[in-house]
Every structure is written in C-alpha cells, then in structure tokens.
Amino acid sequence: MKSINKILMTSALAAAIAPAAHAERFFGSSSVSVLHSGQYETFGDRQEDATVFTFENVAANNWGDSFFFLDRYQVEDEDTGANDTYGEFAPRVSLGWLTGNELKLGPVKDILLAGTYEFGGGADADNYLAGVGVSWDLPGVQYFNTNFYYVDNNTAFDNPNDWQMTVTWGAPFEIGSAKFLFDGFADYSSGVGGAQAAETHINPQLTLDIGSLTDNPGVMYAGIEYSYWRNKFGTRAIDTENAVSALVKFYF
C-alpha cells in the first residue's frame, strides 16, 4: 500500500507540474504570518509559550490548485520545549480539466484528484496522502473545499496508516468600511485504535484587513487564530489543545 500511495502522490505532482507552462492562472497569493500564544499543549500535561512563523502560497489554475505552507515553531523556553519546522504541499488536479467535461452539479463546482505531502514537525512526519477532493460553490464564501484521503503515515511514533478528511474555507465580509476574513481548516483523522487515537484539529482565523481602513487593502491583516486539537499528533498523552493566538499576516 505504501508504494501505491507514493505512485498516486507522484502522479498528482506530475500532473500539476506538467501543464504549468500552458496553465491559465486564475489566482495566486503568498503570505507571511506571525502568531503567538501561551496555550499550546505539549507532553506532560504542559502548556508552553511559542511563536509560529508561517509562509503560505496558494494558486488556482485551469488544471486545479495547490497549497503550500511552512511553519517554524519557536518556543520561548528551550530548556522545557523544542523548536521545530513543519510543512505541507497539497496539489489538486481537476477531473473536469483532465476529461474536458465540466463536472458542475448543483453546489458541486468541481471534483479533483487530491494529494498532500506532510513533513517535519513534533511527530517528525514523512506522510503521503492521496484521495479525492470536492470544490463547492456555496453562498457567502470565497471557497469551500472537502478532501478525503488515505494516509500513508511515517512518523516518529510509527503510526499505522489511516484515513483523513480535510475541510478548508474562506469567507470575506464587511462591516462598514472595514473588511474581514474568516478562514481556516478542519482535519479529522480516523486513527486505528490502540496507541493511535482518532484526531480532530479545527483551526479558524478571524482577521481584519488593516489596509481597508487606510485605502491600502489586501496587504496587512491582524486578528486571532483558535486551535482546537483533540489527541494532538494522534496521541492521548497530550491534553486537548484550546489555544488562542494573536496573529499578524502580510500578503504579497
């Protein structure tokens, strides 16, 4: 099964890269953000202060879309905590583009082949995810996606393979002249029993476009992020995380 997942992931990457020279680009954006909280849960029933530096890139094309992020987790007290770096690369290839047939049906905007590569972090991940994604056309949101994956887990805990569902969303709204963005993701991993527990991570952000108040919109956002993480890293040895972080994000 491990080789099958790597083949699927390689195929998704190849399909994403191959048409790049002839792709019609619909959207592309990069950002750097800084978060800080004293409520991040760690082993031993402890909470720790940490600052997270994040780089993100998202792109949408006629062949599909891609998302990449890299987190640098920097603890305040290195005597009691550990710094680490974690990232994901998640390309999706449109079946409508591959077949030449529009797959819109009701609120379904498109169906896609979905893959993700996860690396690093507190669990020292080297995971391959392969599955199917659905893009939805829903009122009041800029995007809403659901992805369903089979996960080839390779972590420091040597977790068996399992299944994962990921939901991502982005909903801009305005109050007077102020522009806001409510976005985020939710992950559910099935676990397999025993040492590997089912894992739920819900991570919304609410930010204000500071530039919308100064006639320079779309550059700097500030707000909060909330992290609810049950069975963090798939283990019951960490208390459920309920962390509120201060957030500043710059787009370019």
Side-chain angles (χ1 to χ4, degrees):
M1 185 62 72
K2 182 176 180 180
S3 60
I4 292 175
N5 279 279
K6 288 189 176 181
I7 291 171
L8 288 171
M9 188 63 185
T10 302
S11 299
L13 292 174
I17 293 170
H22 306 288
E24 180 183 353
R25 192 176 192 187
F26 300 143
F27 174 79
S29 177
S30 295
S31 66
V32 173
S33 59
V34 182
L35 301 96
H36 181 83
S37 177
Q39 300 175 317
Y40 296 123
E41 293 288 342
T42 185
F43 290 97
D45 301 326
R46 293 187 299 108
Q47 291 184 335
E48 63 185 8
D49 279 295
T51 300
V52 183
F53 302 90
T54 300
F55 170 79
E56 295 177 308
N57 177 266
V58 60
N61 303 274
N62 58 335
W63 54 263
D65 54 45
S66 66
F67 177 64
F68 171 80
F69 78 86
L70 189 68
D71 282 343
R72 176 60 181 175
Y73 185 85
Q74 197 81 25
V75 297
E76 295 297 314
D77 186 354
E78 295 187 16
D79 292 331
T80 60
N83 303 325
D84 63 55
T85 302
Y86 174 79
E88 293 184 11
F89 175 54
R92 302 192 309 166
V93 180
S94 164
L95 287 176
W97 176 82
L98 284 174
T99 63
N101 297 310
E102 193 173 78
L103 299 180
K104 290 184 179 179
L105 180 62
V108 174
K109 186 162 58 175
D110 200 2
I111 300 173
L112 308 97
L113 298 176
T116 297
Y117 175 58
E118 303 174 337
F119 56 95
D124 195 20
D126 182 24
N127 304 333
Y128 295 86
L129 291 70
V132 176
V134 181
S135 288
W136 301 87
D137 188 5
L138 302 178
V141 299
Q142 190 175 48
Y143 63 88
F144 192 94
N145 301 306
T146 53
N147 299 314
F148 303 89
Y149 299 105
Y150 180 80
V151 186
D152 179 2
N153 283 311
N154 299 280
T155 73
F157 306 128
D158 195 24
N159 288 343
N161 301 337
D162 64 349
W163 300 89
Q164 178 173 311
M165 179 180 72
T166 297
V167 179
T168 61
W169 72 88
F173 64 95
E174 299 181 10
I175 300 178
S177 61
K179 296 182 178 181
F180 295 85
L181 178 62
F182 177 62
D183 63 348
F185 70 88
D187 285 337
Y188 174 78
S189 298
S190 65
V192 292
Q196 186 182 359
E199 181 181 350
T200 303
H201 190 191
I202 304 173
N203 205 148
Q205 295 181 348
L206 178 62
T207 52
L208 166 67
D209 182 350
I210 302 299
S212 67
L213 306 177
T214 60
D215 296 323
N216 188 29
V219 178
M220 177 181 175
Y221 285 69
I224 59 172
E225 175 184 278
Y226 171 64
S227 172
Y228 171 85
W229 201 341
R230 181 174 177 269
N231 297 330
K232 190 173 182 178
F233 304 140
T235 176
R236 298 180 181 88
I238 302 177
D239 286 350
T240 298
E241 182 171 275
N242 285 281
V244 178
S245 302
L247 165 66
V248 178
K249 181 178 287 192
F250 299 90
Y251 286 86
F252 56 93

